[in-house]
Amino acid sequence: MTYLKKITATLAFASLSGMALAAANPLSVHILDLQSGQPTAGVTVTLEQKKDNDWKQLSSGVTNAQGRIAAMYPLDAPMQAGDYRIVFKTGEHYARLKQETFFPEIPVQFHVEKTDQHYHIPLLLSPFGFSTYRGN
């Protein structure tokens, strides 16, 4: 097999593996910059679960070139019903751009009842505002 064919096969397998991982994971996030209309790469995002009156961090990740984290929920455990919070660390992004922002962190709290469903949380971002919703 030629070198180019090996690279193509490797990339195809990695892509399929990533899609399978995302399909199996119950939670994903996506950030789009409303000013530029482009995905927002390089933003740290944490997932927390409410236990009693405290928040316990379950995972963290960094958005990819498409502004996504396809598998946000820990891979070693099934999703449980309960209260969760995603925290988008947007201040880092705007600091890299040397741009002022009013929201250095954006916490999004949500409740999960149906653990067999996929939950997608997109964030539409600008320096002085944001919007979110349950996507699919």
Side-chain angles (χ1 to χ4, degrees):
M1 196 184 247
T2 67
Y3 179 73
L4 184 57
K5 285 182 181 177
K6 285 181 184 177
I7 294 234
T8 302
T10 301
L11 290 174
F13 179 73
S15 176
L16 290 173
S17 297
M19 287 190 304
L21 177 65
N25 197 282
L27 182 63
S28 58
V29 298
H30 188 197
I31 306 175
L32 291 172
D33 185 322
L34 288 173
Q35 275 187 307
S36 68
Q38 297 297 309
T40 306
V43 175
T44 300
V45 181
T46 60
L47 171 65
E48 302 169 342
Q49 184 177 23
K50 193 169 190 179
K51 293 287 189 179
D52 299 317
N53 288 326
D54 293 320
W55 290 98
K56 177 186 173 204
Q57 184 172 321
L58 298 180
S59 68
S60 70
V62 177
T63 55
N64 64 17
Q66 292 80 37
R68 297 178 181 272
I69 301 174
M72 194 72 219
Y73 200 81
L75 299 176
D76 59 350
M79 185 173 242
Q80 301 173 354
D83 293 319
Y84 292 87
R85 179 169 63 189
I86 291 280
V87 181
F88 297 93
K89 312 279 185 165
T90 54
E92 311 169 340
H93 168 68
Y94 286 111
R96 279 192 301 275
L97 297 175
K98 296 180 176 34
Q99 188 173 2
E100 184 181 355
T101 182
F102 190 67
F103 299 103
E105 289 189 351
I106 299 173
V108 177
Q109 189 173 335
F110 61 101
H111 181 77
V112 169
E113 285 187 30
K114 298 177 181 174
T115 59
D116 61 336
Q117 294 185 358
H118 180 81
Y119 294 86
H120 181 67
I121 301 176
L123 180 71
L124 305 175
L125 179 64
S126 74
F128 297 99
F130 65 90
S131 179
T132 189
Y133 56 94
R134 181 179 174 189
N136 58 13

